[in-house]
Every structure is written in structure tokens, then in C-alpha cells.
Amino acid sequence: MRLAFTVFILLLALSGFAQRLAYPATFKTPVSDTLFSIILEDDYRWFEDESVEGTNEWIEMQNTLCRKYLKKASLKANSYNAIDKYSFVKCENPQKIGDYYFTHGYYNDFSVPALFYKQGLRAEYSVLVDPNFISRNDIINLKGYNVSKDSKLLAYQYSRNGSDWGEIEIVNLKNAVTKSDRLVNVKFSGMAWRGNGFYYSKYPTTRLGKTIGQEIYYHQVGTAQSEDELIFKRSKNPEATFTCTTTDDERFLIIKEIDEVKSRINIFYTDFSEAIPSLKPLITRLHTSDNISILDNIGDTLIATTFKDVNNGMLIKIDTKNPRVWKSFIPEYASALLLETVILENCLINIYQSNRKQQIVFYNYQGEVLHAIDLPFGFSVNGFNGEQSDKEILFSYEGYTQPKIVYKLNVETYEMSPLSATIVNFDHTKYETKAIEYYSFDSTLVSLYMIYKQGTDLSTPNPLLLEAYGGFGSIATPGFRPGLIHFLNKGGVFAYANIRGGGDKGKEWAFSGRGFEKNNSFNDFIAASEYLINNNFTSANQLGITGGSNGGLVVAVAMTRRPDLYKAVIPVVAPFDMVRFDRFTIGHLHHDEYGSSSDSLGLLNLLSYSPLHNIDASINYPATLIMTSDNDDRVPPLHSYKFCAKMQSSSAQLNPILLRVAEDAGHYGAGSSYRSSLKEEADKYNFLIYQLMEVQ
């Protein structure tokens, strides 16, 4: 089937971009579905078929229109050069695994980040894996790596053109020579070493079809993938997903099985110290809300985190001989959410978040507090790494307006010192972070970050960018954004709303924005918008909103429900057709988050917020930049194509609706090179500044 595309032009008695844009004509091929007596019309179902000829031409015409618009915006906003300047941060960000330190870095502005390594902090880095030489035809992005226990080999995973599908190869750390081993069809997999090999998972290959049938294998270095040993699969429940880890001493193999349909977790283990090691159940039929994760072992005892019967998480000890009897190790703190646990030889470290401030707490193995380090509001720590026996470990510290600083931390004296100077091209002390709480529609108190440059008058409305995620229990932590520096320096204000569905306030907060409660997330976001406008921080003519993936869904729902609140909207790699979301790739794994159209109540819930199904042809929606990637196989771009086409088809739509499709890129956008990532970020802020700051 081939579709020919033309361009139609509607001229109004206006000039420049105030007039309706000339959009590519998009053919309608109506399809009608009847679900539980509800008739659903879909004019753009053909976007779901990648074989339809003419789609590429339509995408290129949309990109051409978008580039033309954003080029004019760039003349006023100048985001590319500004973000390039603020992105220039000199710092080392090493990760210590075994005997080596590793970091990612660019050869030049047009290369893909390579993996570098060295054998001491004072040594010079050398290239270990250069993805620029893996393929001449594809853009290669490194996804992860892990080192064998003896520090002789490193297994690394990479993907092509942004896909979730990966491949694994192995490199000798002594001479940086890549071995002949190559594993394919890898997806959502770690690499857990044991002996002269590692465990990984793979799926049967598919493009946009459902991702089902995960299998765990063990690969012996130096053998063909066809010889890999199958460790675990579920033939009768192919939708089940697994994680696979080994303990630091390689004594235990831990497999965690998650059944989203039945909301069940099963954990299996192998104890290789036994005379005849075998895989057997450890704990079964837990609810997914219990969220148990085995971290490591101390002899026969396993250390785990869990949310069973608690909201904020706690640590427990599990005796493998009597696994159903858990021993409380470090109990829950009622006002502090457990974010991360680091296991060391003589102590462990917990990172907590309380009232949006983080704290690092050291414990001995009797569960007693040894020391605590408080962090200021608006900053976060991560990247704790090193060997369990190391006396000094590394971690990083950053905020929205302060780039990452790497510290050395002595785990005996608790002294911290910067690894090296971090050099930036702006004064990071000139920005303020403000904590706010507001009441949502049902009187629930929601927290919000607000960031602005010193001297900004908050008593009068300002251009403001509001963002949120609000899904999957994800916990938002501050991270440096050079594009945000540019926006703040232009006089803008940034706000982040910790809406329900996210994990900011623990398990209950996440579940109160999930499934049939999903609308709480969207209403929290709209309430944040109303609060910011009603309290004079901004106005409806100066408010922009953005979010990625589930956050893109949030802002799309907000704009279709309350278009009067917003001037500019930027949904990024977002799902828009929620009725058919579960038909593609991993959408079926998220029934717990969104529900399903397979039952009548689930369908009604989805229809209550599905952005594609809530477009009103009589409304002129805010200016919108829809950003997606042509090779996104997590949230396929067909969602963005459908949404764009339906928005553009409305004669009432006078504000611009633009579609930006990144080429050879996946769910995380144009990560191929520094320049391509910079261009993507610059386009976003060019559009935003152009719309919000009256430079048209």
C-alpha cells in the first residue's frame, strides 16, 4: 500500500507563525472497533503498519516543517550555543569495579561515547571499547558492562540505533582485545558473572509485537551462543519477566520472577556451596507491592530490601534454611524513604529521602547507626561504587543547577574529599531552590520543587516550565541540566511536581496513582498548574509543560483536559493511544500501571484519559512540540504520529502542532553523539522560549 502526500495551506489575515501552519496532508483510513458496546473510530490505524509506503515521506515533511519553525525560534532563543557553553563541564566520573576504574567519554563532538579504563586513580585513561568501530552502518550505544570476579574480563552490552534490543561482547582487560564471543537477541538484561562466564537474558526476536518469552542463559566464555545453558523460562506464562544476579562471593544465584498479570513475585536461588547445586524456590507468591530485592549475602544469610507491610522500605535478613521467617535488620523509618543500599565489608550504607532532602546513613551489621551525613535540599547523591573491602569508595553529588562532583569517601573516618575539581562556565551559586507544597483536587498535599535565578521577582508572573513523571513508583531526584541553566538565565522559572504515581512518598503514594487511580496523577499535575497560576508565579500565557514517556502522557492528558492553562506543551516519547498501548512491545507488561481495555471497566478508565481519544475538534489547543524517535521500540512512535495527525486535522487548531522525529534513535532520544543530543535539547528550549517569552 502506498500513500501519496501533499501539503495544504490555510492562509489567515495574519503574518509569520501566528497564522495556521501548512501541514502535510494526512490521509484518513477509518477503522471502527466496538468494545463492550462502545464504538471507537481510528482514522490513523495505518500508522501501526510499518510497511505502509509513504510513511517515511510524511515523517520527513513533518520534520522539515518542524525544522523551519524551530530555525526561526533559534534566532531569538539561541539555545544551541548557550547549552553548548553550559554543558562544558570538566570532571571525572569513574566507576570502580574490581581492579579498574571505568568512565564514558567522547572522542570528539560527533562521536558516540566510548568506554575508557585505567588501573589507578592517578593513571591515564585508555580506550577499552570504542562503539564507533563496531559498525559502519548503525549508531552504536553502550548500554552497560560488568567485570569478572578476577578482573580479567569485561562483558559489555550495546544496542543499535537506540533500540532496546542489545548484543553482548567480551573484552580482555589486560590488552583491550575483544574476544570472538557475541550474544544477540538480548533485552532488558544484566550480566551476572560467575566463574568463567555470566548469566544474561534474551527474548525471541520481534519488532513491534509483544515482547514475551524471556529466558535466562549461562554463557561460558569462549563458546558459541548456541551452546549456552538454559537456566530458567516459563513456557506456560511467557509474559513473566525475570531478573538474575549473583552475590559478591559468587556463592548464590538469585532469580526474581515477576508476574504482572497475577501481581506475584517468586524468588529462586542456587547455592553453589552445596554438593549438588540446584535451582530451588526461596520465597514464592509474594505480592508485587512487597517489592523484595536480594542484595547480597553474609555466609548463609541473605540481605534484602522489601516494602512488605511497610510504606518506605526496610532491610531484612533471610536464612536460606528457613526463608519464610524473616529477621528485621534495619526497620522502616516512618518519615524517610529508603532509596538505595550499598553493601560493604564492615558496614553498609543506606541513602534516605525525607521531605525531599537526602541523607547518607552508615550502619554496622547489628543494625546500629554509625554515622549520618545530611545533604542540602535540592541535591542528590548516587553512583556509590568500589569493592566491598575498599576503605575508600566513590560517589557523586549534584543538583539541577550544579553539575556532578565526584567524592572519595572514607568508610572508617567518614571523611569526604573531591576526587578532582569540577570546572563550569557559569556561576552555579546564583540559583535558588524553593520547596513548596500545594493541595490537589481532593485535598491531598503534594510537594513541588521550584528553581530560579537569584533576583527573579516571584511576586509577579514569570515564564515557567512545569514538569512531572508520576508513574511506576519512580522517584525523581535532582540532576544537572545545562538546558535548564539557559532557561533560568533567560528569566524563566522551573518547577517539578512530585505527583502521585511516583515514589516520592513511598509505596502508598505510588499505588494511589496507578491503575484505576491513575487519574490522581493527572489531576495532581493540573492542580500544580492552577496553584502556580493562582499564586502569581506564572500565568496561563507563560506556562509551559513537559515530560518524557509516562511524564509525556501526563502533560498530554493535562493539555487535552485543561488547554486553557497552558501556552506550550512538549510531550516526549509519550504514549497517546492508551486503548491500544498494550498491543505493542512491552505495553502488556504495564497493565498494573494503566489497566487494560480487555474488560469494560478498564476500557472506561483508559478512555477517561487517553489523549488520542480526548481531542476535541472544536478546541484550539496550546502550541505543541511532539518529540519522538523513529526506532523507539518501548513506546513506538506510532503513538506520536497518530496524535500529531489528529491534532493537525482540526480546523479549530490555530496554534502550531509540530512533530520532531529523531532518526536512528530510541526511547532515550538522540544519544548518538554530543552534537545530536545538544541539537535535540536546543530544539526543545528554542520552542519553549519562543512561545513563553514573547519573542515572536
Side-chain angles (χ1 to χ4, degrees), residues 289-291 305-315 330-341 350-355 475 503-510:
S289 63
D290 297 336
N291 196 20
T305 59
T306 184
F307 283 75
K308 181 174 175 56
D309 301 325
V310 298
N311 182 57
N312 290 325
M314 64 179 181
L315 267 71
I330 299 175
E332 175 196 29
Y333 292 107
S335 61
L337 177 67
L338 178 61
L339 301 180
E340 181 183 354
T341 297
N350 279 353
I351 294 90
Y352 292 99
Q353 180 172 291
S354 178
N355 295 323
I475 301 167
D504 182 63
K505 295 184 180 180
K507 180 174 70 175
E508 294 176 5
W509 192 254

Side-chain angles (χ1 to χ4, degrees), residues 110-131:
F110 301 97
S111 67
V112 177
L115 181 63
F116 295 77
Y117 78 134
K118 61 184 179 180
Q119 203 167 1
L121 282 175
R122 296 184 179 181
E124 294 294 326
Y125 279 110
S126 58
V127 178
L128 180 63
V129 179
D130 188 349

Side-chain angles (χ1 to χ4, degrees), residues 245 247 254 267 282-283 292-296 302-305 318:
T245 59
T247 53
I254 307 294
I267 298 180
L282 179 72
I283 305 169
I292 186 170
S293 296
I294 307 296
L295 302 178
D296 212 333
L302 298 173
I303 301 174
T305 59
I318 302 174

Side-chain angles (χ1 to χ4, degrees), residues 17 69-80 82 486 490 682 685-691 693-696:
F17 287 110
Y69 188 97
L70 293 177
K71 183 177 181 180
K72 180 172 182 178
S74 70
L75 297 176
K76 299 290 186 179
N78 195 29
S79 297
Y80 185 91
H486 173 50
K490 283 281 191 179
Y685 280 98
N686 281 336
F687 179 81
L688 189 69
I689 292 170
Y690 190 71
Q691 288 294 327
M693 297 187 178
E694 299 182 354
V695 294
Q696 300 184 48

Side-chain angles (χ1 to χ4, degrees), residues 447-462:
S447 64
L448 179 142
Y449 286 105
M450 184 179 291
I451 303 168
Y452 50 93
K453 192 173 184 180
Q454 290 178 357
T456 302
D457 185 358
L458 296 182
S459 66
T460 60
N462 291 279

Side-chain angles (χ1 to χ4, degrees), residues 131 134 140-144 156-160 165-169 182-183:
I134 291 177
I140 304 297
N141 294 106
L142 298 178
K143 300 181 69 174
Y156 63 93
Q157 187 178 162
Y158 60 87
S159 67
R160 298 175 186 267
W165 291 98
E167 301 166 45
I168 296 176
E169 296 193 33
R182 179 170 167 266
L183 314 181

